[in-house]
Amino acid sequence: MNKKLKTYKIIWLIVAFIACFELAAKEKPNDKKMLELRGADISYYWQQKELGVEFKKNGKIVPLPQILKEGGTNIIRLRLWVNPKDGWNNLENTLAAAKELKSYGFALLLDLHYSDSWTDPGQQKKPEAWKNLDFVRLKRKVHDWTSEVLESFVQNGTTPEYVQVGNEINSGFLWPEGKVVDDLGFGKFSQLISMGCAAVRETCPESKIVLHIANAGNRDFQLWWLGNIKKCQVDYDVIGLSYYPVWHGKNIDKVAANVSLISKQFKKPVIIAETAYPWTLKWNDEQHNLVGMESDLIPGYEATAAGQKKYFKALCDELKKTKGCIGIFWWEPSAVSYEGFPSSMENQTWFDFGGNYNGTGDVYLD
């Protein structure tokens, strides 16, 4: 074999080796552990679009769902109120939002509030149209409204993968009948919420039912609340927790430990249904921001874009290691302030005051 031919053979062998190595690398399964549900609640988005709010990535205007999709988000949470005064978050608008999100390939978590406005541990006001119903008719209304809503989603081609029956229901819902103040309060509350759960089972049997409470840092409360739910034999699939360091404690490890404990204790997967953290303590409107002081922060996680991303990565990394945790949702990462749209969450978004994406959501791909 002459030298020239020998040289060609060596080069060919090197090229073939490199090609085989690259093919093997491509075919090797991605062993990077990722959370099953990588979520965001963007219920404000369609209201913002009507006002002309624009979001940018790398200096270019890009639709918000596309930015989130490219960053690894795979499920969107949408809230639904019964008869909101301003029309937003009603059935018609939420169905349209769901249709758009499904076109991007997102899964859906539908957050049913059973109210005309916000509900949380401190307020669970009945819808105005339901306020004079006696308890028997109120139970029937919970069932029928839930069923009608979900049937609309089915007909819309947007059946939600997850349905949240009530929002931050630490103190029950549909006050005063469904208010929980002690063990005895679970009697009527469990009857009401069971009607909603039954409607989900009947109308969307493949959807998973989420029960959502706040205070991911309080293990004793979680054990008490979930223990009573178990005693009352409420039928559900997933435990949802809210975790905001300003209210629920600044120890991420403790939150992860609580998630592991309750998942094992109650044999249910757990999601962090809401979280957020500031990228600045400044403001861009006249609306009071929910988080605005240095004392609100976790030591070592400054209120900068880098600090926000560090917080989210630390939380996600802990949850990835936590047995029983299947996902997390950032609450309103796009709630930037705008003319006609003041926002108390403007400094906890994934966008600066000019609507430029800061990359925090890309933690989902890490």
Side-chain angles (χ1 to χ4, degrees):
M1 183 182 295
N2 62 42
K3 282 187 175 181
K4 194 171 186 180
L5 186 58
K6 189 175 182 180
T7 300
Y8 283 146
K9 187 174 183 180
I10 292 171
I11 292 172
W12 182 87
L13 288 171
I14 291 172
V15 170
F17 175 78
I18 292 172
C20 289
F21 179 81
E22 290 179 344
L23 180 61
K26 288 179 181 178
E27 291 181 347
K28 182 181 179 181
N30 182 7
D31 57 2
K32 184 184 349 182
K33 180 174 173 59
M34 300 177 74
L35 289 165
E36 178 182 342
L37 304 180
R38 304 180 298 278
D41 187 318
I42 57 169
S43 301
Y44 276 133
Y45 173 54
W46 290 268
Q47 183 178 357
Q48 292 174 298
K49 275 210 304 185
E50 186 168 281
L51 292 169
V53 178
E54 294 176 335
F55 298 94
K56 303 166 192 169
K57 183 178 180 181
N58 299 325
K60 296 181 179 179
I61 297 173
V62 181
L64 174 65
Q66 181 179 331
I67 294 174
L68 299 182
K69 191 73 176 177
E70 290 173 353
T73 299
N74 66 354
I75 182 168
I76 299 295
R77 179 175 182 250
L78 293 175
R79 63 179 166 269
L80 178 63
W81 296 338
V82 179
N83 290 306
K85 289 183 179 178
D86 63 5
W88 294 107
N89 306 127
N90 65 8
L91 181 58
E92 180 183 359
N93 287 319
T94 307
L95 286 170
K99 198 80 169 179
E100 180 178 346
L101 292 168
K102 284 290 186 179
S103 73
Y104 281 91
F106 288 108
L108 294 177
L109 189 166
L110 182 62
D111 177 12
L112 303 176
H113 277 238
Y114 297 93
S115 180
D116 293 334
S117 187
W118 299 103
T119 59
D120 55 45
Q123 55 185 354
Q124 294 283 343
K125 187 177 180 181
K126 278 188 290 189
E128 187 68 20
W130 302 7
K131 67 178 184 178
N132 294 322
L133 298 177
D134 61 29
F135 187 64
V136 172
R137 288 189 296 164
L138 183 61
K139 286 196 297 181
R140 176 48 55 184
K141 178 59 74 172
V142 170
H143 176 278
D144 291 351
W145 180 76
T146 305
S147 182
E148 290 164 8
V149 162
L150 293 178
E151 183 59 35
S152 295
F153 275 82
V154 172
Q155 295 299 321
N156 193 47
T158 54
T159 302
E161 284 73 12
Y162 294 82
V163 179
Q164 194 178 298
V165 182
N167 187 75
E168 292 192 331
I169 48 178
N170 300 42
S171 306
F173 70 169
L174 293 166
W175 292 353
E177 289 88 346
K179 189 166 188 177
V180 170
V181 293
D182 53 27
D183 291 354
L184 296 177
F186 281 86
K188 286 189 173 182
F189 167 61
S190 66
Q191 292 180 56
L192 288 168
I193 201 163
S194 289
M195 295 297 279
C197 294
V200 179
R201 292 282 186 242
E202 296 160 9
T203 314
C204 299
E206 295 184 1
S207 300
K208 301 295 186 184
I209 298 171
V210 181
L211 297 189
H212 171 214
I213 54 177
N215 206 344
N218 190 332
R219 180 189 63 183
D220 291 341
F221 169 76
Q222 294 158 22
L223 291 173
W224 170 76
W225 196 92
L226 292 165
N228 274 289
I229 287 294
K230 184 177 181 179
K231 288 178 186 176
C232 294
Q233 300 182 324
V234 177
D235 177 27
Y236 72 106
D237 303 298
V238 180
I239 299 167
L241 303 174
S242 291
Y243 175 52
Y244 296 100
V246 64
W247 298 304
H248 306 144
K250 299 174 182 178
N251 189 327
I252 292 174
D253 292 346
K254 182 178 179 181
V255 170
N258 291 346
V259 168
S260 178
L261 174 67
I262 62 174
S263 178
K264 182 178 180 181
Q265 179 88 4
F266 299 101
K267 297 178 173 56
K268 305 284 185 184
V270 180
I271 60 172
I272 299 298
E274 295 182 21
T275 195
Y277 198 80
W279 58 268
T280 182
L281 295 180
K282 297 179 181 179
W283 58 92
N284 192 45
D285 59 18
E286 297 181 357
Q287 177 81 27
H288 173 71
N289 289 341
L290 293 173
V291 177
M293 301 174 63
E294 288 285 346
S295 59
D296 295 336
L297 305 177
I298 301 175
Y301 297 84
E302 68 277 10
T304 63
Q308 183 192 65
K309 190 170 186 177
K310 180 182 176 183
Y311 160 78
F312 197 38
K313 179 168 173 52
L315 180 56
C316 286
D317 284 350
E318 280 302 314
L319 295 177
K320 287 176 189 177
K321 297 184 293 184
T322 302
K323 190 173 182 180
C325 183
I326 60 171
I328 185 170
F329 292 74
W330 192 281
W331 196 77
E332 292 288 0
S334 55
V336 297
S337 58
Y338 192 76
E339 184 178 353
F341 188 85
S343 173
S344 61
M345 293 292 292
E346 62 177 350
N347 66 330
Q348 298 190 74
T349 61
W350 292 346
F351 298 84
D352 66 18
F353 293 151
N356 300 289
Y357 181 55
N358 67 15
T360 291
D362 293 356
V363 162
Y364 281 143
L365 298 176
D366 289 347

